[in-house]
Amino acid sequence: MKVGFSLPQFNKQAFEVARTAEFAREIERAGGASLWVGDRNLAAVHPKIGYGGQGNTIPAELNPSADPFVLLGIAASATEHVLLGSHILVAPLYPPVQLARSLTTIDLISGGRLLPGFGIGWSPEEYEAAGLDFATRGARMNELLDALDAIWTTDPASYEGKHLSVPAHHSPLKPARKPRPPVYLGALSERALRRVAERGDGWLPLGVVPSWLDIDGLIQQRAVIDQLAREAGREPAAIDTVLRVNMDPGATSEQVATAIKTVQERTGIDHVMVDSMYEDKSVDQALRRATDILALVNKG
């Protein structure tokens, strides 16, 4: 079982961002499989849509938000073996050339350990701040995937779509992973699950321990992905899964470890990442948490 952990990016941990390299090294030394970032460009004071697309509030823990690209770059230079992922980047907010450049740089620094995970997000205000139309975010995502393919695999590179345009440019610097880093996609809706099935190298679902871990739902959604992948002429086994496990306030390491084992037994998912920002208020607490969870999961 591969167990990864979120870097100190949000809530109280964000104020100790200077310890990112130390955190990354300690997680690798403890046997963690991966290190992860999320993405919150801003948390609106009066959001039109709330966290995860529900209600009209955003948890205060998301107000402090460190830069995901910088954190991944630091973690890449501080480690040798762990995978480095995003669960998730709100990818349509970023111009494709700049996104490709940042991710290529991280992949090269890490020697090909990057797992870029993308989603379309749920916050209209984030799109407003970027000068973009929230309603077209799904279409922008589809074009972004095509644009990244072009930038990562051709030189000169260019792309022309309805929403995105990349002029022909010299593009000799390529990622370490060939032909490109594997792209993972977050998905809940049928349209998004179809995008995973047709375009994704991996799927990024979410669970919350102990309040919301819908294992039956995970099984059903994965069945949809597999069926759609077959219809698209793809082999379902080629689509990986990494489950994000958010800890509720008050959640215990034992509850998380039990949930991880249960998920593996029932679904076959063998890679999870744990985010303790709602419970652990410091880097030291988060490191102790990670050590405890790894010991409990590996206990058998």
Side-chain angles (χ1 to χ4, degrees), residues 167-224:
H169 64 285
H170 297 290
S171 182
L173 192 66
K174 302 300 184 186
R177 189 89 66 102
K178 303 302 180 186
R180 57 165 175 74
V183 173
Y184 287 58
L185 299 171
L188 286 173
S189 69
E190 183 175 347
R191 181 178 298 179
L193 291 172
R194 181 177 294 277
R195 185 182 295 117
V196 174
E198 296 177 350
R199 306 291 305 273
D201 300 300
W203 174 44
L204 299 174
L206 166 70
V208 184
V209 173
S211 65
W212 184 71
L213 186 61
D214 185 4
I215 295 179
D216 289 336
L218 290 173
I219 294 170
Q220 292 168 5
Q221 288 178 314
R222 181 66 209 211
V224 171

Side-chain angles (χ1 to χ4, degrees), residues 144-164:
L144 178 65
L145 295 175
D146 291 333
L148 288 175
D149 271 340
I151 295 168
W152 277 336
T153 62
T154 62
D155 180 27
S158 64
Y159 176 78
E160 190 66 39
K162 180 179 179 181
H163 302 282
L164 297 176

